Amino acid sequence: GTEKMRLFTWFSFFAAQILGFPISQPKSRIRFSLASNEMFSKNTMLDEADDVLRKAVSVFCLSAAISVSPVVAADYGSMSQEQQMVAEAWRLVDSSFIDRTFNNQDWFKLRQDNVKRKFKSMEEARGSVTDMIGSLGDKYTRYLSPSKYQSLVDSATGNLCGVGVEISTNKEGKVVASDVEPNSPAEKAGIQAKDIFIEADGNMYDITSTPDDVALNLRGAEGSKVGIVMEREGKKIDFIVTREPIKITSVRSYVASVNGAGKVGVVRIKSFSGTTAETVKGEIESLKKRGVKSIALDLRGNPGGLLPGGVDTASLFLDSNKPVVFVVNKNGVVDAQSTYQTGFDLATPLVIYVDSNTASAAEVFTAAVQENGRATVVGEQTFGKGIVQTIKPLSNNNGGIAVTVARYETPQHHSINKVGIAVDMKAPIDCPKSDVSSCLPVSAFKIPNA
């Protein structure tokens, strides 16, 4: 049972490696307490891996062979199979959910009430689990039906492709295409950034839907077609898109001219991975050879990625022994991560350009350089996703449970969840992703700590 769980816990990381996002040893010093060593050495970055998988299911074609098995259910005696499934789901949440008040309700009584029910079918039991977990008030803690759970596993083990869109949530809570990959099936079909997902593959979406829900419906076998309904400026538009394998470039750079600041090197980071830090370093070194005197990192629409990628990239710009992030589990045990060596660039004026879709590991990075006085953050308030999920399988092919198990704190111990990061300077966020020069205030480019 333990080894099977470890296999599953790590499948997200193997998937990231398959995608070209190998998990590198974070360039930070990590201090574990004895109580948190097991959990955080394996599970800390699962939320970030989930972000990579979200991108993977909409963008990548995967081919691998990784064995993933559910844990064996405990002996529930005389319970029916449906009651056992409900009890097991309750137990998985109970063992690790971060909010130990369980949304200020009698969580144990909820178990008793649901387990005593006489279910007519497994579908009815699954509906009961969905309602039970929904009562926790955390949309990221949720029941995954067998098809959704298998789709997530298949993102690491199958031969599946996507349409080439990045997915996030807008200010109204609706799932949108935050970016469309150049020359992708989605771009060829006419889908545009900021289009709102109404339906995909026969599944309807509303403000309770998550980017994961949409991403799982967009992928499938290479050459298969998926029907998508988008909303643009109040009008619904139908698309039929053919799924293809797509290569995505997560880091791009160019030189922009900002009035009063001269030549500025712009590095756009679409998501964080184990290779992001080295790639960003290489891009900045190349930009400096072209005469830039300031750097702007464009993180608009960045949903996160892998936590070590955000930590490593922040370390490029920070001195040694600087706090980067704290991860707090359900017991209040803190995993503190800080830099262990001097970064390669401590002096170049640095601007971080963010919007309301900048989330998770991207927020960890932003807070780290902002609160350590290294960069000026411009744009608009970030999304506010400062929690970590892990995914646990249910026995007998009954799907799985996604559970929020920890939360992030910034270097100054601020919680960003549902709050986001306040910018130092407000700026328009609708500049083209190929040229941000007109949106960046010249006053933001200043010598660190000056």
Side-chain angles (χ1 to χ4, degrees):
T2 300
E3 289 305 315
K4 290 177 181 177
M5 279 300 292
R6 286 177 177 170
L7 272 174
F8 182 79
T9 300
W10 279 103
F11 93 81
S12 293
F13 296 96
F14 292 138
Q17 290 175 317
I18 294 164
L19 296 172
F21 294 141
I23 310 299
S24 62
Q25 178 65 29
K27 294 182 176 63
S28 60
R29 180 170 58 228
I30 304 176
R31 297 186 292 273
F32 296 120
S33 74
L34 292 176
S36 64
N37 186 50
E38 181 71 8
M39 170 186 167
F40 284 110
S41 64
K42 294 180 173 60
N43 290 346
T44 297
M45 287 80 70
L46 280 181
D47 176 54
E48 310 313 325
D50 190 40
D51 283 328
V52 169
L53 289 178
R54 178 189 311 160
K55 186 172 302 240
V57 297
S58 60
V59 179
F60 291 93
C61 177
L62 310 175
S63 180
I66 300 174
S67 175
V68 180
S69 302
V71 292
V72 177
D75 183 5
Y76 292 110
S78 60
M79 293 183 186
S80 68
Q81 289 186 347
E82 292 80 8
Q83 290 170 328
Q84 290 178 26
M85 181 266 190
V86 173
E88 183 185 8
W90 181 92
R91 177 176 56 81
L92 292 178
V93 175
D94 180 70
S95 65
S96 56
F97 186 53
I98 188 170
D99 177 8
R100 303 317 290 169
T101 72
F102 297 94
N103 201 22
N104 297 305
Q105 62 181 328
D106 190 335
W107 179 239
F108 187 73
K109 184 178 184 299
L110 200 59
R111 175 195 185 277
Q112 290 178 308
D113 292 344
N114 279 275
V115 169
K116 287 178 181 178
R117 290 181 56 184
K118 303 297 183 183
F119 298 102
K120 296 179 181 179
S121 66
M122 188 59 75
E123 282 302 314
E124 185 179 354
R126 291 168 181 165
S128 177
V129 169
T130 298
D131 293 340
M132 179 175 66
I133 296 178
S135 71
L136 296 171
D138 173 20
K139 73 175 183 178
Y140 298 103
T141 296
R142 60 201 186 277
Y143 170 65
L144 302 172
S145 67
S147 59
K148 283 188 177 181
Y149 170 79
Q150 191 58 47
S151 292
L152 190 58
V153 173
D154 285 346
S155 68
T157 63
N159 185 16
L160 304 173
C161 300
V163 301
V165 294
E166 293 181 18
I167 309 167
S168 60
T169 307
N170 65 13
K171 294 178 180 178
E172 289 74 42
K174 297 178 180 179
V175 181
V176 300
S178 57
D179 198 10
V180 180
E181 191 69 11
N183 300 314
S184 66
E187 184 186 63
K188 294 174 183 177
I191 294 176
Q192 300 178 10
K194 297 184 180 181
D195 284 355
I196 300 170
F197 284 94
I198 302 299
E199 181 181 344
D201 203 27
N203 297 278
M204 303 292 293
Y205 308 115
D206 56 26
I207 60 172
T208 66
S209 302
T210 67
D212 293 338
D213 295 331
V214 176
L216 291 172
N217 296 138
L218 291 182
R219 60 179 185 175
E222 181 177 357
S224 63
K225 297 182 184 298
V226 57
I228 305 172
V229 180
M230 309 293 284
E231 179 182 317
R232 184 186 305 159
E233 297 179 349
K235 297 181 180 179
K236 293 183 180 180
I237 308 174
D238 295 326
F239 300 94
I240 301 296
V241 186
T242 302
R243 298 177 176 106
E244 297 177 3
I246 298 166
K247 182 179 180 180
I248 188 170
T249 303
S250 293
V251 179
R252 294 174 178 165
S253 68
Y254 59 92
V255 177
S257 180
V258 177
N259 289 334
K263 295 174 68 175
V264 174
V266 181
V267 180
R268 172 157 167 73
I269 305 175
K270 301 176 77 171
S271 68
F272 286 95
S273 73
T275 62
T276 299
E278 288 302 317
T279 304
V280 168
K281 180 180 178 181
E283 293 292 335
I284 291 177
E285 289 173 338
S286 176
L287 289 167
K288 286 184 176 180
K289 290 178 181 178
R290 297 170 64 183
V292 305
K293 302 299 182 182
S294 302
I295 298 294
L297 301 184
D298 184 359
L299 302 186
R300 291 174 300 163
N302 186 321
L306 296 179
L307 177 62
V311 172
D312 287 359
T313 307
S315 298
L316 294 175
F317 306 101
L318 300 176
D319 206 348
S320 60
N321 296 312
K322 294 293 184 180
V324 178
V325 65
F326 301 95
V327 185
V328 186
N329 73 0
K330 65 173 185 177
N331 298 318
V333 177
V334 178
D335 160 26
Q337 301 188 23
S338 60
T339 58
Y340 76 89
Q341 64 182 15
T342 300
F344 95 110
D345 187 338
L346 306 183
T348 303
L350 181 65
V351 170
I352 313 299
Y353 188 26
V354 299
D355 66 7
S356 61
N357 289 316
T358 304
S360 204
E363 291 177 295
V364 168
F365 167 84
T366 301
V369 293
Q370 180 190 50
E371 294 189 0
N372 280 295
R374 177 61 185 89
T376 302
V377 179
V378 305
E380 66 180 2
Q381 190 106 350
T382 62
F383 182 81
K385 187 175 188 293
I387 50 180
V388 187
Q389 283 76 43
T390 186
I391 298 173
K392 301 184 178 185
L394 290 164
S395 58
N396 300 319
N397 297 316
N398 278 316
I401 307 292
V403 187
T404 298
V405 298
R407 61 182 173 83
Y408 298 137
E409 288 184 358
T410 69
Q412 295 179 10
H413 289 285
H414 297 135
S415 176
I416 62 176
N417 197 47
K418 297 183 180 180
V419 177
I421 298 171
V423 297
D424 299 310
M425 297 181 184
K426 290 185 178 181
I429 49 86
D430 55 356
C431 265
K433 291 178 179 177
S434 59
D435 184 7
V436 301
S437 58
S438 63
C439 291
L440 302 180
V442 63
S443 57
F445 294 94
K446 54 188 178 182
I447 302 299
N449 296 316

